[in-house]
Amino acid sequence: MFDLHLDLDRAAGRLGVQLAVRLRDAIRSGRLAPAARLPSTRTLAQDLGVSRGVVVTAYEQLTAEGFLVSRPGDGTRVARLPAAPAAEGPAAPGAAPTAEYDLRPGTPDLASFPRVRWAAALKQALDTMARTDFAYPDPAGVPALRRELAGYLGRVRAAAATPEQVVVTAGVAHGLSAVVRLTGAPLAVEDPTSDRQIPMLRATGVPLIPVPVDGEGMDVAALARSAARAVLLTPAHQFPTGVVLSSRRRAALVAWAEATGALIIEDDYDAEFRYDRDPVGCVQALAPGRTVLLGSVSKTLAPGMRLGWMVAPAPLAARVAGHRMDTDLGSPVVGQHALAHFLASGAYDRHLRQMRRRYRARRDALVDALAVHLPEAEISGISAGLHLYLRLTRPVPDLAEAAASRGVLVHASGPSAVIVGYAGLTEARLRAAVRLLAEAVRRGPSRP
Ligand SMILES: Cc1ncc(COP(=O)(O)O)c(C=O)c1O
């Protein structure tokens, strides 16, 4: 039996019908091979987070249609169907490829969103919120959540945080845009960095100064030679290379900020996931008066939550709260109260522990598969986060397109490197995706 990845749209309802459609498509396309044994109805129901009846309905439907066969003692298997018609062959040139494997970074495993526990936290919030809690909120965030976040960040990220320093945001991007706009200082950014952040930063109108990253993280000597008076960096797991900012560089960075009065903006976007050694504490703890720590639940729960936080020096936190009052009147309150309960009950820590185990197994499978299929490529950034960085031995022009033509979506970082996100795929699917990626590296696009 194998792992079966099937996306269901819960909001669309009729899960049994959806599941039957997905399975039928998987059989027709050959993704489910003839005679392959399907998971038991109980196992698949658990994997998909649906009732067993949903799976039973889908299996029965496909058995009636002849796609599946079911024999006592042998479980349910894919029927041996006549060969698929020619139309099922490889995509024609220029046709949009169907992405079978999404290895793009930036998204956690959305199928693992803790729906039941989050629903309980939401219910607890709604059951306990006072009438006045539904009024326009404190633009810095509801006090209960700021208290919980200060405790959590102190405990898990070794941050020096009091509730007064915490501002609740709609994610790292939101907090970052606000701080950069308010400070207005020329901003150093890591080179390479996140493509997604550059347009956001450009929109602030602040001059951006790229500073190179090497094996120890940002080159702080180069930073010190620049005109920057603020710096944005990802010390726990540099995006995209995955390098951890070394202790020497941390010390140099803090010394630079103290000497010049500059602001350090620490993007702690995926720091909760660290697999082989203890988490590296945040830079903010070394210089709480000069650092803004930015984080969110985007990688721990889901980016669609749009819930995050910043820990800033108290005067800057107050300015950000004032800016929120002038621009958006604060963040939605129900989600804030729910997150406060989620943190206080230990549900967040439990979820993180569970996801760390899951992601570690996925990372290990990915690294093993790369060693088999792309042994010459150099891998970095494997000790933390949800992606790794793969340097190829030679430039492969249009690698992302070549991979996409084979059903694999990756994010290229220049012509000789790829960022490989592994959060959303099971081990078996990661192995299959790496085999196809290696083919794309060696042979380019797939041709009919
Ligand atoms: C390095 C990095 N930090 C932060 C973000 C945005 O995070 P959030 O969802 O918390 O706004 C991104 C988005 O892709 C990112 O690549």
Side-chain angles (χ1 to χ4, degrees):
M1 203 185 60
F2 47 86
D3 249 347
L4 197 53
H5 179 88
L6 298 161
D7 285 324
L8 298 181
D9 178 0
R10 268 153 235 280
R14 304 184 72 203
L15 292 174
V17 175
Q18 281 193 52
L19 181 56
V21 169
R22 301 286 179 280
L23 285 169
R24 201 183 288 114
D25 288 348
I27 295 169
R28 280 194 178 130
S29 68
R31 186 151 82 82
L32 278 177
R37 192 202 293 267
L38 266 68
S40 72
T41 51
R42 187 186 306 274
T43 305
L44 187 55
Q46 266 168 7
D47 285 356
L48 296 173
V50 299
S51 77
R52 195 170 163 206
V54 165
V55 182
V56 170
T57 306
Y59 278 17
E60 282 176 357
Q61 174 70 26
L62 294 181
T63 304
E65 292 174 10
F67 284 96
L68 297 179
V69 284
S70 170
R71 283 198 197 91
D74 190 39
T76 303
R77 289 180 184 270
V78 177
R80 293 177 192 280
L81 297 170
E88 302 279 354
T98 356
E100 191 74 37
Y101 304 101
D102 192 348
L103 295 176
R104 289 171 301 176
T107 305
D109 184 17
L110 301 178
S112 299
F113 183 83
R115 290 169 191 260
V116 173
R117 283 184 236 148
W118 184 255
L122 270 176
K123 177 163 190 328
Q124 203 179 351
L126 291 168
D127 286 348
T128 55
M129 282 170 69
R131 188 161 45 98
T132 48
D133 287 335
F134 289 95
Y136 281 108
D138 182 335
V142 304
L145 178 57
R146 293 162 72 200
R147 262 196 317 276
E148 287 299 331
L149 284 171
Y152 166 76
L153 293 167
R155 185 161 53 76
V156 174
R157 301 295 302 124
T162 62
E164 295 67 41
Q165 289 171 264
V166 176
V167 180
V168 177
T169 66
V172 167
H174 181 211
L176 177 61
S177 292
V179 166
V180 170
R181 280 191 167 84
L182 282 175
T183 53
L187 179 71
V189 294
E190 292 166 317
D191 180 16
T193 186
S194 157
D195 292 347
R196 193 179 274 174
Q197 278 183 350
I198 292 296
M200 276 179 226
L201 294 171
R202 289 222 174 96
T204 65
V206 158
L208 301 183
I209 304 168
V211 175
V213 167
D214 62 21
E216 287 190 63
M218 182 182 269
D219 179 348
V220 178
L223 169 67
R225 288 192 298 274
S226 79
R229 285 299 169 265
V231 58
L232 168 64
L233 69 184
T234 44
H237 188 232
Q238 202 273 328
F239 192 93
T241 63
V243 169
V244 178
L245 189 67
S246 72
S247 52
R248 260 181 346 154
R249 292 277 172 88
R250 283 169 193 247
L253 176 70
V254 168
W256 167 79
E258 300 286 3
T260 58
L263 185 69
I264 301 168
I265 305 175
E266 180 173 21
D267 177 356
D268 213 32
Y269 68 105
D270 68 1
E272 285 87 352
F273 297 115
R274 188 147 188 91
Y275 308 112
D276 304 316
R277 41 184 169 126
D278 286 341
V280 181
C282 59
V283 168
Q284 187 270 350
L286 302 177
R290 299 245 62 92
T291 308
V292 177
L293 175 70
L294 299 171
S296 75
V297 302
S298 290
K299 305 293 187 277
T300 53
L301 295 176
M305 303 288 285
R306 304 318 296 142
L307 253 176
W309 50 83
M310 75 168 74
V311 179
L316 180 56
R319 278 179 69 204
V320 174
H323 173 75
R324 300 290 303 276
M325 201 63 187
D326 293 341
T327 54
D328 61 27
L329 303 180
S331 293
V333 288
V334 179
Q336 291 193 63
H337 281 280
L339 183 57
H341 289 301
F342 204 69
L343 283 159
S345 69
Y348 196 62
D349 288 54
R350 263 200 303 283
H351 180 69
L352 287 179
R353 270 199 301 279
Q354 188 184 342
M355 294 315 294
R356 235 176 253 129
R357 276 199 302 276
R358 194 165 296 173
Y359 290 143
R360 187 193 170 119
R362 291 179 183 186
R363 182 214 50 179
D364 289 349
L366 174 61
V367 171
D368 288 350
L370 287 168
V372 172
H373 296 291
L374 275 173
E376 69 282 9
E378 182 198 325
I379 308 173
S380 63
I382 66 167
S383 62
L386 305 178
H387 71 268
L388 52 77
Y389 195 72
L390 199 61
R391 283 190 185 82
L392 306 170
T393 47
R394 61 183 170 83
V396 181
D398 305 326
L399 177 57
E401 289 76 9
S405 76
R406 294 172 185 277
V408 180
L409 299 182
V410 285
H411 192 103
S413 175
S416 314
V418 250
I419 310 167
V420 184
Y422 51 81
L425 271 67
T426 58
E427 287 92 304
R429 289 175 53 71
L430 283 166
R431 284 190 280 271
V434 168
R435 197 171 46 72
L436 293 168
L437 177 63
E439 277 178 23
V441 169
R442 302 235 154 75
R443 297 196 224 140
S446 128
R447 307 232 180 263

